[in-house]
Amino acid sequence: MIFKLFTRKRLALMSLCFVSSASLASIGITAEVYQDIDRHRVINTKIFYPTTKTKSEELYADNPAFYGFNAVKNAPPTGSELPVYILVHGTSGNWKNLSWLGSRLAEEGALVISANHPDYTTGQATPDSVMRMWEQPRDVSFLIDKLLASTYVQYIDKKNITVVGYSLGGYTALSLAGAKFDISGYQNYCLQNKDDSCDYYKGVFKNLTQEDRVMISGDYRDKRVSKSIAISPGYVPAILSDSLDDLSANTIVVGAEFDEVIPPEKQLNPYLAEKHKNLFYVEISGASHFSFMQKCKPQATAILAEEGAEFVCQEASNINRKSIHNELISTSLYFQ
């Protein structure tokens, strides 16, 4: 079903489903560097999890513009049957962007994986590299392989793996659930519409080879993923609608009311209007594209203005970012 209505009572009930005996635990964090030799990719990864160790906390993902979180480096995990959440960043993003979410999930009893994806991450992403997007879902499947072969496996519920992807990462969440894409659909969309995402890719389509187009159209489904959450996902106009009839994960697409990068009324609603099994859509009122990133410090706008990026911390409504984060959690992460 698509465009499912969520009542406040239902949201309150769903929010109770996740909280476990590990609720409000301290957070442990470990850095892992995984090398995928076959694809020549080195994936720098952070893993957050609940721990009983509280000494030697350090501040992570904090900088002059964004708030971070406290965690204990290399602390031993605690608990069993922990749900797994894999957080996937967007274009030019990094593992820190959804760290507000990862830290909260770890406090409530989840094991969380968040990585920097080569060619898509901060300092590496270009319009050409991002358009060749197929390596990101393959990265996630590789990370699942590594998780299930690691000592972490003794703590997790292998049947409860959720992918949460933002922007480009939203495309990845959809791909892992079984959505397939034909980039010509997105190309046609950009011929008829002008928005920030099409401006970003101006001139890139002509550089795509036939091999690139075949890779974009590939099947990157991973049946180990039980739930996919796609936040302001990229490339939705390229989705092959028939592929949405056979999603292997419960999938929710989250739009942002005032998103100018991926406008819901243009890039999401028209392509998700049909009913599909296992697919739901919600829209966060008052949110813009960057509302789902870390909470900004008071001086953030002035700092980012020096790089011409003040828009990252400017909300499009009078609703603050913390409220938007809470709404995202209520409508999506506790979705059953």
Side-chain angles (χ1 to χ4, degrees), residues 86-107:
I86 302 176
L87 310 183
V88 192
H89 68 70
T91 298
S92 294
N94 56 65
W95 76 270
K96 299 176 183 178
N97 296 157
L98 294 176
S99 59
W100 66 269
L101 175 56
S103 58
R104 181 161 174 178
L105 290 169
E107 282 182 331

Side-chain angles (χ1 to χ4, degrees), residues 88 137 163-165 168-178 225 228-231 251:
V88 192
V163 173
V164 183
L168 171 66
Y171 146 80
T172 290
L174 290 169
S175 292
L176 290 163
V225 176
S228 285
I229 301 170
I231 305 167
T251 302

Side-chain angles (χ1 to χ4, degrees), residues 2-3 236 239 244 253 268-274 276 279 281:
I2 198 80
F3 304 120
V236 168
I239 283 181
L244 299 178
V253 175
L268 301 182
N269 298 342
Y271 303 95
L272 301 174
E274 297 180 13
H276 300 280
L279 179 64
Y281 177 84

